[in-house]
Amino acid sequence: MTKHIRLTTQDMVTTLTFARPEKKNAITQRMYAAMAQAIRDYGEDDGVRAFVITGAGDYFTSGNDLQDFARGTEDGGPPPVVQFLQAISSCEKPIIAAVNGPAIGVGLTMLLHCDLVYAARNATLSAPFVKLGLVPEAASSLLLPKAVGEAVANDIFLTGRALSADEALSFGLVARVFGEDELASEIREIASTVANSAPNSMRRTKSLIRHRGETIAAQMQREGTLFAEQLASPDFAECVAAMMQKRAPVFQ
Ligand code: COA
């Protein structure tokens, strides 16, 4: 377990917090691996009936750690980000996202795998993959158009712009928006309601609503192939260099 993931369990609810506020909660491979492990472990624990995912400080997450992006995995298994996405998309227990600030990249795409998504009024959602010379992941190229329609999905993916919490609400990406000071207590109440409901009914209702199976896995695989190619491309290197040097990227 890394210190950058905070894990607490109380009243049958396990809360996973991205705890790297000095880097706007950018997610490293270690953090993905720790999240994946915790969701798998607590997913099997009868004492846990729901998960909450949130961020420390004033960010949900600024997405994948840009320095960490291109590093290979140590053991040659599925990359930790894939393990994390598989863990949340196959989890049988309800996952609640408390989006307490900007959610960038995987910060947005992971929400498509959560069951209950709530945002603070200061939250923003963006998926700037194209701005980084990359392509969408987490089966978001399938799930986002399905959730919001192609016109809005194109606006999000192709321009990389950030949606306000109220826009996200109007597009159905979040269920409710709360004041910044209210989010934590509202989430506690919702999590408690969910955790105290009949567990089998909850699990079966979730599986009836999701019922996505193979399509998701296949799309993740297609995205993964293109994502890896883009990650190794000069475009990605130029986008990251430009971002670090605070200049506009120049493409050959
Ligand atoms: N990966 C690695 N480090 C990141 C990061 C990321 N995704 N996002 C932020 N950080 C780091 C910054 O490098 C900086 O580190 P430093 O203090 O050591 O220089 C620190 O977090 C604070 O970020 P900073 O850029 O100074 O804050 P800001 O308020 O001006 O901007 C962001 C915040 C998130 C808008 C900006 O950092 C950003 O655009 N990050 C990249 C987001 C991104 O493209 N994510 C990937 C999506 S696929």
Side-chain angles (χ1 to χ4, degrees), residues 185-196:
S185 60
E186 293 285 353
I187 292 291
R188 263 195 305 279
E189 202 169 314
I190 294 163
S192 168
T193 303
V194 168
N196 284 290

Side-chain angles (χ1 to χ4, degrees), residues 24-210:
K24 309 293 183 192
N25 296 329
I27 311 171
T28 60
Q29 297 198 30
R30 282 182 162 204
M31 290 163 72
Y32 284 123
M35 296 279 283
Q37 189 69 50
I39 291 165
R40 284 193 301 258
D41 290 351
Y42 287 95
E44 299 288 315
D45 182 337
D46 289 341
V48 169
R49 303 260 182 91
F51 291 94
V52 172
I53 299 180
T54 193
D58 58 0
Y59 258 68
F60 183 62
T61 168
S62 61
N64 208 108
D65 185 290
L66 289 174
Q67 272 82 38
D68 214 41
F69 236 141
R71 278 180 215 140
T73 46
E74 282 161 18
D75 61 2
V81 60
V82 173
Q83 292 177 34
F84 166 66
L85 292 169
Q86 282 170 350
I88 53 173
S89 72
S90 63
C91 181
E92 293 189 343
K93 294 176 182 171
I95 302 181
I96 302 164
V99 186
N100 58 307
I104 305 178
V106 72
L108 186 164
T109 60
M110 77 172 73
L111 302 179
L112 301 165
H113 297 276
C114 295
D115 304 290
L116 292 157
V117 181
Y118 303 100
R121 193 153 307 281
N122 65 333
T124 56
L125 272 58
S126 61
F129 298 105
V130 167
K131 283 185 171 173
L132 281 169
L134 296 172
V135 293
E137 27 78 299
S140 59
S141 55
L142 182 77
L143 297 176
L144 191 66
K146 198 169 159 225
V148 300
E150 274 191 29
V152 174
N154 285 339
D155 188 30
I156 293 170
F157 279 140
L158 303 185
T159 72
R161 84 177 178 92
L163 305 180
S164 68
D166 283 332
E167 278 182 293
L169 179 67
S170 71
F171 296 145
L173 281 175
V174 309
R176 277 187 269 170
V177 173
F178 298 113
E180 286 145 59
D181 298 339
E182 298 162 354
L183 182 71
S185 60
E186 293 285 353
I187 292 291
R188 263 195 305 279
E189 202 169 314
I190 294 163
S192 168
T193 303
V194 168
N196 284 290
S197 302
N200 276 339
S201 164
M202 186 63 67
R203 185 173 53 77
R204 290 187 151 170
T205 302
K206 171 170 172 161
S207 82
L208 286 167
I209 293 170
R210 297 234 144 218

